[in-house]
Amino acid sequence: MIKILVFGELLFDVYEDTAVIGGAPFNYSVQLSRLISKEDNLKFITALGKDDFSKEAIKFIENENIDSSLIQFLDNFETGKATVFMNENKVPDYIIHENVAWDNIEFNSDIEESLKEKYDLFYFNILSCRSEKSYDALKNIFKNIDSKYKVCDVTFRKNYYTKEKVKEALDFVNILKVNDDELLAIKNLFYPSLKIDLKKDNEILLKKLNKDFNIDYIFLTLGKDGAASLYKGEYIFKPSNKIKVVDTVGAGDSFCAALSYAILKKADIKKVLDFASAVSEEMIQVKGGTSKYNVKAVKEKFDME
């Protein structure tokens, strides 16, 4: 049985006439839970309010292969929201509401008890520790968890990250997933004087991160250009296929879920990258970060059952 622990935000993207469940760790959990078998266990740590959004979230989770026993319900905080609107340039923008439930995840006795188990994989992102309370909970997990793989999908949003938090994450993980914008931000934080063109010199920067932080696997998503990986000193680039894009929400989360699954299944690095790329390409052809694609067909194509 595979055992997975995920930490982070669950929030609702609120538009004028609708609200859509999401949050990178939640999207990741949903997509990974559909790849693993029913016998495997994926526990999700987050905090929700006691409101209609939390009722909707639990209803959604009950229909997925996700263990909700570590989800906290808080009296004094609302379930997380991001209000989506058009800015003055008519470009979609958003406000991630602050001091909501997922900002107040507590390192409680249930989490402490759960850390007596050994895990195959632990996942978190940087956004989830923007507040001191949740950051403290995450640091306690760092100190106490026994997990073979430790995954960070960076998820920089607005100004919700610091050099200290990023360094702590990079020092902790052995699998890092980053997109091109986040890689530029990391370069500016840690290597401001390094003169490289990120369009051509990604490999140099990934190798530097690997050397300085001893990260076994690094994956870089490059939007419409494709994706790349660095493992055991070998840099592999995979261009994307030409497909019709419906919605890019959750593409990175599904990519990270797929690479996690492939590594757990002991696939070689080329297959890991190919599988993750194929899954994210399936996801951008459907709407929403928790949407379903034909999981069975993709797994069969790559012999990943």
Side-chain angles (χ1 to χ4, degrees), residues 21 26-27 29-36 38 42 57-68 290-292 295:
I21 197 167
F26 183 66
N27 293 341
S29 296
V30 170
Q31 298 303 338
L32 183 52
S33 77
R34 291 170 183 168
L35 288 165
I36 60 177
K38 292 287 180 214
L42 187 155
I58 292 304
K59 205 168 161 188
F60 189 104
I61 290 165
E62 281 168 354
N63 292 313
E64 300 295 333
N65 186 22
I66 293 172
D67 181 335
S68 61
T290 57
S291 292
K292 291 183 176 173
V295 172

Side-chain angles (χ1 to χ4, degrees), residues 95-113:
I95 298 163
I96 307 175
H97 296 238
E98 296 186 5
N99 202 23
V100 290
W102 64 265
D103 286 314
N104 291 278
I105 301 168
E106 187 183 346
F107 186 76
N108 60 15
S109 56
D110 290 339
I111 295 176
E112 206 168 351
E113 189 62 30

